[in-house]
Structures are given as structure tokens and as C-alpha cells.
Amino acid sequence: MHDNQSQRLQLRKLIRQRRQQLSPAQQQQAANDLVSQALALPALNNSQHIALYLANDSELDTFPLIQTLWQQGKQLYLPVLHPFAAGYLLFVRYDQDTLLYPNRFGIPEPLAECHRLLPVDQLDIIFTPLVAFDLKGNRLGMGGGFYDRTLSQLPTKSRSKVIGLAYNCQQVDAVPCEAWDIPLNKVITPGEYFDFRSMITP
Ligand SMILES: Nc1nc2c(c(=O)[nH]1)N(C=O)[C@@H](CNc1ccc(C(=O)N[C@@H](CCC(=O)O)C(=O)O)cc1)CN2
Ligand SMILES: Nc1ncnc2c1ncn2[C@@H]1O[C@H](COP(=O)(O)OP(=O)(O)OP(=O)(O)O)[C@@H](O)[C@H]1O
């Protein structure tokens, strides 16, 4: 296998294990701390349509954040595996009473009903899951390329609305990146806010 690919596989395995070792108490604390970090985001006030995800595979739990944003009257959206365009995601409205069905990875998702879809360019913030990130904003995901493909449809100037969510232990020195990777401008962790554009030194 190509060297970069095997490095990505190894890193994915390592960081997923690292995440799985967090205790239930640590996970809960992190999920609550994430709410304060997200509420401090300058962009949040002016954002009405926000995409999130439901945690899977020991990802940082977004549910406390989801509940807080619902209380604030925000309209939330979840990723749904595209029924026709393989490898792409659709973003579907998620309300408190929306019924969810497990997709082929076992992740609960709403039905992809046309009137509940919002095109990616109309979302104000897209919070993405990730496995590992580095300080250049490189992102390693679960390996399906779903977010990379879907976000490649966004014009570069809209990339700043994409924000990765992760535990601090998911930060690595360097993600071995590929040509198709869409770098993140921002990542929030339970304790930190990273804006990679402002961290680039000339
Ligand atoms: N919470 C969450 N939702 C998400 C994503 C995600 O990373 N996290 N995705 C981000 O793209 C999409 C789903 N992508 C996924 C890709 C691989 C696996 C996964 O568990 N792979 C298994 C192999 C399973 C199989 O092939 O049947 C594995 O790696 O062990 C899960 C989700 C859409 N929804
Ligand atoms: N924009 C794209 N167009 C076509 N193929 C793509 C694109 N982005 C990624 N892919 C393909 O998807 C596969 C998985 O990509 P990658 O390993 O980067 O996924 P990932 O970032 O870990 O996963 P995800 O984005 O779903 O969280 C690769 O084989 C790659 O060729």
C-alpha cells in the first residue's frame, strides 16, 4: 500500500484507541465544556442554520451542544449518507421530534426528505467530526472521504464556516495529508479554540 495511506490507517487506529480510553466522567465533562467553547464562537450569534453530527465511535459527544442550540432557537442539521451520489453527504433538518434511523455504519440519521434538506452553501456553520487534526488544519476523518467530497463543493471563501470538533488528545504533530483533503480553518476542543489562519507565520 502507498506509504501515506498506511500512515493514515495507523494514525486513525492510534487516535481512535486514545479516544476510547477516556473515562465516562472525562467524556461527560468534555461534552459540557464543548458547549461553553461553542457558545463563545464569534460566528454563533449570527448563525441560524447549523450542521452538527451525532457522536459515534467514542467521538466527542455533541448532544449537550445540540440541546443548547435548540433552546436558542437555532435550526440544526445532521449529515445523511446521500442515497444516490455515493460518498457524498446531505444535510437534513434535525428537530427535537425528528425520527432517526441507523445508516449502514449504525449512525442514527433522519430521512432525506426533500423539504428538510439544506444545500451546504446555505449552512451558516458546519461542525465536523474528525479523528485527528494538526496545527495546519489538516483533518483525518473515518476514511470514507464523505466530508472531503461534500465540502469540496464549497467555494474557498466559505471554508471558514467549517469547524472541526475534537478532544485535545486528537491533536497530532502532522496529519499525512492527501491532495483531496479540505483543510479546516478552525477546530474547537473542550478547552481550546484554534484558528489556523491566524496561526500561520509568514
Ligand atoms: N458521527 C459521525 N457521523 C458521520 C461521520 C463521522 O465521521 N462521524 N461521517 C464522516 O465521514 C460520515 C460517516 N462516515 C463513516 C465512515 C466510516 C465509519 C466506520 O465505522 N468505519 C468502520 C468500517 C465499517 C464498515 O465498513 O462497515 C471502521 O473504520 O472500523 C463510520 C462512519 C457521516 N456521518
Ligand atoms: N473530493 C473528492 N473527490 C473524489 N474522491 C475523494 C474526494 N475526497 C476524498 N475522496 C476519496 O475518499 C477516500 C477516503 O478519503 P480520506 O481518507 O481522506 O477520508 P477521511 O477524510 O478520513 O473521511 P471523512 O471525510 O469521511 O471523515 C479516498 O480514497 C479518496 O480518494
Side-chain angles (χ1 to χ4, degrees):
M1 196 187 294
H2 190 267
D3 205 33
N4 220 15
Q5 286 298 84
S6 60
Q7 280 181 23
R8 282 163 75 94
L9 279 175
Q10 267 186 10
L11 188 64
R12 205 172 268 132
K13 198 170 152 196
L14 176 82
I15 304 298
R16 284 174 70 181
Q17 279 172 356
R18 202 182 269 180
R19 217 164 51 178
Q20 280 156 14
Q21 280 160 9
L22 296 168
S23 71
Q26 286 172 315
Q27 292 175 35
Q28 209 170 36
Q29 180 71 52
N32 291 332
D33 291 347
L34 179 71
V35 178
S36 335
Q37 284 294 327
L39 294 186
L41 279 174
L44 199 76
N45 270 344
N46 297 324
S47 299
Q48 191 53 32
H49 301 281
I50 302 175
L52 272 140
Y53 62 88
L54 292 176
N56 171 54
D57 178 57
S58 70
E59 285 167 342
L60 180 50
D61 182 12
T62 50
F63 210 66
L65 177 57
I66 288 174
Q67 286 179 309
T68 307
L69 295 176
W70 273 335
Q71 279 162 16
Q72 294 192 348
K74 306 288 188 192
Q75 296 186 12
L76 304 189
Y77 298 80
L78 288 178
V80 170
L81 305 182
H82 199 296
F84 316 118
Y88 285 84
L89 299 171
L90 293 170
F91 289 94
V92 181
R93 179 79 180 265
Y94 177 41
D95 298 323
Q96 260 149 307
D97 59 356
T98 303
L99 297 176
L100 302 173
Y101 304 86
N103 65 21
R104 66 183 155 93
F105 300 110
I107 306 173
E109 59 179 34
L111 292 177
E113 295 168 303
C114 296
H115 66 283
R116 299 184 61 87
L117 303 181
L118 196 68
V120 269
D121 57 303
Q122 289 179 36
L123 287 161
D124 300 315
I125 299 185
I126 304 172
F127 287 114
T128 76
L130 59 89
V131 176
F133 70 99
D134 66 22
L135 292 182
K136 287 188 172 150
N138 294 311
R139 167 186 180 278
L140 182 71
M142 287 293 283
F146 292 98
Y147 276 94
D148 288 325
R149 276 192 205 82
T150 308
L151 300 180
S152 69
Q153 300 167 319
L154 274 179
T156 316
K157 65 172 170 45
S158 304
R159 297 258 176 93
S160 62
K161 68 185 188 185
V162 183
I163 305 176
L165 299 182
Y167 288 110
N168 288 84
C169 69
Q170 292 172 248
Q171 185 189 330
V172 299
D173 286 341
V175 170
C177 48
E178 295 284 4
W180 58 78
D181 284 335
I182 306 281
L184 298 163
N185 284 326
K186 303 187 182 82
V187 167
I188 55 177
T189 68
E192 256 178 297
Y193 169 58
F194 299 94
D195 186 340
F196 303 117
R197 287 162 313 164
S198 63
M199 291 166 74
I200 296 167
T201 40

